[in-house]
Amino acid sequence: MKCVLFYHAFTSCWNNGNAHFLRGYARELHALGHEVVVFEPIDGWSRLNAIREGGSHAMDDIPALFSGIDIRRYDTGLDLDRALDGADLVIVHEWNSPDLIAQVGRRRAQGASFTLLFHDTHHRAVSAPDELAQFDLDGFDGVLAFGEVLRQIYLKLGWADRVFTWHEAADVALYHPLPQVERTDDLVWVGNWGDGERSAELNEFLVEPVAELKLRASVHGVRYSDDALRTIRSAGIRYGGWLPAHWAPVAFAGARATIHVPRGPYVLLPGIPTIRVFEALACGIPLVSAPWSDTEGLFPEGAYLSVADGAQMKHALRTVIDDPEFSAAMVATGLKVIQDRHTCRHRAEQLIDIVTDLRDSSRSARPQHDIGAVA
């Protein structure tokens, strides 16, 4: 197939946690023999911020890392008919502008022959349903939802059997153990501080345990306010700034443990882990998670430790750092479940099955639903 993918950003991962998976499944589609073309706006805010913070060469290595992917940047003058010419599969990620989403949908509704899918990887369906209502999805053949709980919301909107649970996964071509890297840190955390969505949780599960246990720790990410920087530095934590996603495996390899601290909205979406869980397990680093419900059974017991509060976090970190046999067992369990179930190759193959199923059916491309009626 000719696969045309519309992303807000492919070359940039600045404040773009989706970049890992979006790049990874595109790589695997190409490896499976499909032609893959990715469109990204030249003035996307993720890309502009990456250039501002990392310089004009901050993303130069991405094309080489994803050779075979045709990356095309566009401005306001995008010729959409030309972009879609010859396409068999078109996927529009939810970070795109509502106008672009609507324009692509109209072409499908007017008779274009490609299969058109909307890829939703956001919590807005429960945290800001009015934002979901701005998307005109009438012309789309189906929705790829990054968790079952999100799929259920689309079912209520009338998508019937045309919405599919499609979790993120690990791009194991890049995310894998690096045993040659010396572990110089006790703890590393990769994540953005953001707009206060999880400041209390970060203090409880990251800052305070590090300070009380006197761990050697580093954090990487963006959108750290001056107050946030003062907080982490007062705990003796080194701030490493923006870490391009494909450099994360080296950061994980250099530490004895990492943690998972989901944002508040994801508590409302049980069963959906952040990409960091897939990354950490794929890279072979012991993971301790703040409260998160694996309602879909993505990971077996023993793949990571789950804690309820800061006191349990301190105990768990002490255990994984001081008990190498226990940590090695965790790592082995985590690596196995990634290799068996959660690679980008698995998701690319699932995507092909979804497209085949839609094409083999006689389902209409125009569902009867009210996108603004989210509960």
Side-chain angles (χ1 to χ4, degrees):
M1 295 188 301
K2 179 179 181 180
C3 307
V4 178
L5 315 176
F6 289 92
Y7 298 163
H8 167 75
F10 182 90
T11 52
S12 172
C13 64
W14 194 97
N15 200 52
N16 176 14
N18 299 126
H20 172 164
F21 180 62
L22 297 180
R23 294 167 175 173
Y25 89 77
R27 177 210 298 284
E28 295 300 337
L29 284 175
H30 177 261
L32 288 168
H34 304 287
E35 178 185 355
V36 180
V37 183
V38 175
F39 284 89
E40 65 174 2
I42 197 167
D43 60 350
W45 64 266
S46 177
R47 184 172 180 273
L48 294 180
N49 276 291
I51 294 171
R52 176 184 56 79
E53 186 161 336
S56 59
H57 301 294
M59 297 161 285
D60 285 353
D61 49 354
I62 296 302
L65 288 173
F66 298 90
S67 60
I69 308 300
D70 185 357
I71 306 169
R72 302 182 188 178
R73 298 189 188 97
Y74 65 88
D75 55 21
T76 53
L78 173 66
D79 185 338
L80 197 53
D81 291 323
R82 183 177 180 182
L84 296 170
D85 183 44
D88 299 295
L89 170 64
V90 178
I91 300 178
V92 185
H93 186 244
E94 46 86 9
W95 263 26
N96 286 281
S97 71
D99 181 62
L100 176 68
I101 293 169
Q103 286 190 50
V104 178
R106 279 197 293 272
R107 281 160 174 79
R108 175 68 180 102
Q110 291 167 0
S113 61
F114 51 77
T115 299
L116 178 59
L117 300 175
F118 181 68
H119 184 198
D120 194 342
T121 60
H122 200 274
H123 53 70
R124 65 167 60 85
V126 294
S127 63
D130 56 317
E131 293 183 14
L132 182 62
Q134 69 184 321
F135 298 138
D136 179 3
L137 303 182
D138 278 354
F140 283 67
D141 293 288
V143 173
L144 302 169
F146 76 145
E148 177 62 20
V149 64
L150 185 58
R151 188 181 80 91
Q152 292 297 325
I153 292 174
Y154 277 94
L155 289 178
K156 294 178 181 178
L157 293 173
W159 283 86
D161 55 353
R162 296 180 306 104
V163 55
F164 305 89
T165 299
W166 198 50
H167 280 286
E168 294 182 306
D171 179 4
V172 295
L174 293 179
Y175 295 81
H176 53 78
L178 299 172
Q180 71 275 19
V181 176
E182 182 183 1
R183 296 187 184 275
T184 56
D185 274 344
D186 295 312
L187 177 73
V188 65
W189 184 66
V190 180
N192 303 330
W193 196 274
D195 299 318
E197 285 182 323
R198 55 179 168 183
S199 296
E201 291 86 351
L202 288 172
N203 275 293
E204 180 179 6
F205 293 102
L206 170 65
V207 176
E208 294 172 6
V210 166
E212 293 190 28
L213 295 175
K214 295 182 171 53
L215 301 180
R216 181 178 176 84
S218 299
V219 302
H220 300 272
V222 302
R223 298 170 68 200
Y224 281 70
S225 66
D226 290 340
D227 285 343
L229 291 173
R230 282 191 290 270
T231 295
I232 64 171
R233 286 168 176 159
S234 68
I237 301 172
R238 184 182 73 85
Y239 175 57
W242 173 45
L243 184 73
H246 56 287
W247 294 358
V250 175
F252 285 135
R256 296 174 180 84
T258 189
I259 63 172
H260 173 229
V261 185
R263 289 182 173 88
Y266 286 98
V267 176
L268 303 175
L269 290 170
I272 300 178
T274 73
I275 193 64
R276 304 302 178 202
V277 177
F278 296 110
E279 290 179 353
L281 299 189
C283 288
I285 182 172
L287 172 69
V288 184
S289 178
W292 169 71
S293 299
D294 183 13
T295 56
E296 295 186 52
L298 298 177
F299 308 105
E301 184 177 353
Y304 64 91
L305 292 181
S306 181
V307 298
D309 53 37
Q312 289 186 11
M313 175 63 80
K314 284 178 280 187
H315 177 74
L317 287 174
R318 193 77 278 167
T319 298
V320 298
I321 291 171
D322 292 346
D323 189 337
E325 291 186 4
F326 180 83
S327 295
M330 285 179 60
V331 166
T333 301
L335 284 171
K336 186 176 189 306
V337 73
I338 293 296
Q339 292 292 340
D340 289 349
R341 297 175 54 191
H342 301 308
T343 69
C344 286
R345 173 60 66 94
H346 288 110
R347 301 301 188 262
E349 291 173 342
Q350 180 192 359
L351 175 62
I352 300 306
D353 289 343
I354 288 170
V355 174
T356 300
D357 179 55
L358 285 170
R359 288 181 171 181
D360 289 347
S361 71
S362 57
R363 300 167 190 161
S364 167
R366 298 184 63 80
Q368 298 299 314
H369 72 286
D370 178 4
I371 195 75
V374 171

